[in-house]
Amino acid sequence: MKVSIVDYGAGNVQSLEFALNRLGVNGILTAEKEIIMNSDKVIFPGVGEASTAMKKLKSTGLDKVIPNLKQPFLGICLGMQLLCNISEEGNTQGLNIFSCDVRRFTNKLKVPQVGWNIIKNLKGPLYEKIENSYVYLVHSYYVPIIKSTISVTDYGLEYSSAIQKDNFFGVQFHPEKSSKVGSSILKNFLNL
Amino acid sequence: MLAKRIIPCLDIKDGRTVKGVNFFNLKDAGDPIELAVNYSQNNADELVFLDISATEQKRKTLHELVFEIAKSIDIPFTVGGGIKSIKDVEKLLKNGADKISLNSYAVKNPNVINELSKQFGNQCIVVAVDAKLVDNEWKIHLVGGKVATKLNLFEWVSEIEDRGAGEILFTSMDHDGTKSGFAINALNKISSSINIPLIASGGAGEIKHFVDVFKYANVDAALAASVFHYGHISINKLKKKLIKNGIIVR
């Protein structure tokens, strides 16, 4: 199986590569359109800042390639947020795959949210045989509940910890850092 | 709801794990990778690795150790100790560290907190703060407590937040190694004055100390070393007790 990891300067891609290795898969870190288009699965990682990340995607032309991909596609953390319309982070125009805006937490809780929180109301193939569980999250911005929401998490308010539309999946948490359950979710994605 | 985190801390010297009692008396407590895997499989929420190697020469291989740790565990970890440049940070993050922890470097060059948060995202920038009471005032200390500064603890943590750090790790030098409980009052004062996560460190000796620090100091995470390394407290037992006391843990 060919799995490409979109290379756009996002932080800590190493951990994602190791998590795939543990599942017997070698991910290819690349910004080459051809390689990405011809992969069986595409993972769009994300640790970083939204406007910088979008600039990088535009400079490589990947902003035009990603929305037209037909294979299973997984955006992680910032990678999920960039699939939406506009992010309040740096007032960034995203890839418009999900029609919603990304907002900053404004409640009285600490920002960023750092640590383990519960995913619930799980739906769809990404969560096959997975029950409500603790996953690891680090983020200051969130995707609200929309019709594409496939799991919900509560941090002062309920928001989307995962979304899905056709072949596009987005998870706010880090499956590569979420112990056994994270590994099972990655495995479900690879099995799509 | 977000769970409170339990974080074992592994002090690394020349590639091996050690634990200082009051920072000065070092004992060997094993192989870092083996310990890390053990913790990740036994319910630790996160790990912190602090390199306390005496010389640059011996610290040079830290990024290689980080690479091996990232390969071996599937929970987040922070790396600190002896970070002196943006390049050091970049190297550690690239090799798989989720967060880096700054200490003296940030005290000597506070601007670096702004720069690093901007470049790598504030979620991966932890500032570690070591302090002790001097004439009834909490003062920041450096080099594992050996060097006193004039910096006031509460002013410094507020500055750290303003400069954009993602988390604060506070160690009370007066409590560290004593096993007599965390510095509840100071922690509570910090916690109520900042809006970024706070990790409590120094003084854990028994399960009750963890219950108290979450109940009375409202911290987001508690860090300890020897009580975990020497098996005095098992993380599973600790978490069961915390749940019994109404504290949310994973």
Side-chain angles (χ1 to χ4, degrees):
Chain A
M1 181 170 20
K2 270 165 68 181
V3 178
S4 57
I5 302 170
V6 181
D7 184 5
Y8 66 105
N12 208 357
V13 176
Q14 188 62 65
S15 292
L16 177 61
E17 293 187 69
F18 283 141
L20 292 172
N21 291 160
R22 286 192 283 267
L23 293 167
V25 171
N26 279 317
I28 309 156
L29 183 64
T30 181
E32 300 278 334
K33 290 177 199 172
E34 291 296 317
I35 299 177
I36 291 171
M37 286 190 290
N38 292 315
S39 300
D40 301 307
K41 304 281 179 337
V42 178
I43 301 181
F44 188 38
V47 174
E49 196 270 331
S51 64
T52 318
M54 271 312 291
K55 256 183 223 152
K56 192 82 195 270
L57 284 177
K58 279 183 184 160
S59 74
T60 51
L62 287 171
D63 61 319
K64 299 280 187 299
V65 173
I66 291 172
N68 295 312
L69 292 174
K70 296 287 176 253
Q71 62 273 62
F73 182 99
L74 178 65
I76 298 175
C77 196
L78 176 63
M80 163 188 178
Q81 298 179 358
L82 293 177
L83 301 178
C84 300
N85 289 349
I86 292 175
S87 172
E88 282 183 5
E89 186 174 24
N91 218 353
T92 308
Q93 182 73 47
L95 296 169
N96 294 322
I97 294 167
F98 293 91
S99 43
C100 65
D101 295 343
V102 180
R103 300 173 192 159
R104 191 177 162 88
F105 284 121
T106 49
N107 47 37
K108 285 194 175 130
L109 300 174
K110 293 181 175 182
V111 180
Q113 168 174 224
V114 179
W116 299 78
N117 204 334
I118 293 176
I119 45 170
K120 58 181 186 181
N121 305 354
L122 312 182
K123 282 182 216 157
L126 194 63
Y127 288 132
E128 198 178 316
K129 291 187 183 154
I130 303 219
E131 295 172 1
N132 293 3
S133 322
Y134 275 103
V135 292
Y136 186 75
L137 303 128
V138 183
H139 62 125
S140 302
Y141 296 82
Y142 69 94
V143 176
I145 307 277
I146 52 175
K147 68 172 194 294
S148 309
T149 300
I150 56 167
S151 76
V152 170
T153 292
D154 189 335
Y155 189 62
L157 52 84
E158 290 196 328
Y159 68 92
S160 298
S161 39
I163 50 180
Q164 182 201 347
K165 188 175 165 190
D166 306 323
N167 57 318
F168 288 96
F169 295 81
V171 291
Q172 183 61 64
F173 54 89
H174 287 274
E176 75 278 18
K177 287 287 163 183
S178 295
S179 199
K180 282 191 199 110
V181 68
S183 179
S184 303
I185 292 166
L186 269 183
K187 199 172 171 187
N188 282 346
F189 173 74
L190 296 174
N191 286 340
L192 287 171
Chain B
M1 281 287 286
L2 185 66
K4 300 290 187 185
R5 287 170 282 155
I6 299 297
I7 309 178
C9 177
L10 288 78
D11 287 349
I12 306 291
K13 193 182 179 201
D14 312 339
R16 299 274 298 169
T17 317
V18 287
K19 172 58 194 166
V21 174
N22 269 332
F23 283 102
F24 298 117
N25 250 329
L26 302 181
K27 280 185 197 168
D28 197 330
D31 168 31
I33 309 275
E34 209 181 308
L35 258 178
V37 170
N38 190 55
Y39 282 128
S40 69
Q41 291 169 348
N42 285 286
N43 246 331
D45 296 308
E46 201 171 313
L47 297 173
V48 169
F49 296 87
L50 281 184
D51 193 326
I52 54 167
S53 298
T55 65
E56 283 309 300
Q57 203 58 34
K58 290 185 167 158
R59 195 178 283 129
K60 262 186 187 153
T61 55
L62 181 61
H63 65 278
E64 288 168 20
L65 180 63
V66 165
F67 186 83
E68 291 305 317
I69 294 163
K71 194 192 278 183
S72 313
I73 65 171
D74 53 11
I75 59 169
F77 67 98
T78 303
V79 180
I83 291 171
K84 284 196 179 66
S85 69
I86 291 183
K87 228 178 183 165
D88 288 345
V89 172
E90 195 172 8
K91 211 171 186 180
L92 294 171
L93 291 175
K94 221 176 192 153
N95 277 284
D98 295 283
K99 312 178 202 178
I100 57 96
S101 164
L102 308 171
N103 195 328
S104 306
Y105 184 38
V107 171
K108 289 173 189 158
N109 317 272
N111 266 330
V112 90
I113 303 171
N114 307 59
E115 282 170 43
L116 288 170
S117 305
K118 206 170 164 202
Q119 188 168 341
F120 302 104
N122 69 346
Q123 80 291 332
C124 63
I125 307 302
V126 180
V127 180
V129 168
D130 297 343
K132 59 178 150 188
L133 270 176
V134 179
D135 297 334
N136 228 9
E137 191 188 339
W138 283 96
K139 292 281 194 190
I140 300 297
H141 283 66
L142 304 177
V143 203
K146 284 179 221 159
V147 178
T149 75
K150 286 182 178 164
L151 218 49
N152 172 284
L153 168 66
F154 303 106
E155 285 167 16
W156 177 228
V157 293
S158 152
E159 182 176 343
I160 291 168
E161 180 184 23
D162 291 345
R163 288 182 177 276
E167 245 176 314
I168 289 175
L169 163 58
F170 168 58
T171 304
S172 162
M173 313 287 310
D174 292 332
H175 296 71
D176 197 68
T178 63
K179 293 190 165 44
S180 59
F182 293 91
I184 302 282
N185 291 337
L187 282 161
N188 191 38
K189 197 170 164 190
I190 297 172
S191 174
S192 53
S193 71
I194 59 170
N195 198 38
I196 53 174
L198 173 64
I199 305 166
S201 157
E206 50 188 283
I207 286 179
K208 186 183 176 295
H209 298 152
F210 289 89
V211 174
D212 288 349
V213 79
F214 288 122
K215 257 192 172 166
Y216 304 117
N218 196 27
V219 298
D220 301 278
L223 175 146
S226 51
V227 286
F228 296 137
H229 301 332
Y230 298 124
H232 298 319
I233 295 179
S234 100
I235 294 178
N236 282 320
K237 254 192 201 159
L238 168 59
K239 286 194 168 177
K240 273 184 196 140
K241 209 48 185 262
L242 288 171
I243 290 169
K244 254 191 195 160
N245 280 275
I247 294 151
I248 297 171
V249 289
R250 178 169 71 108

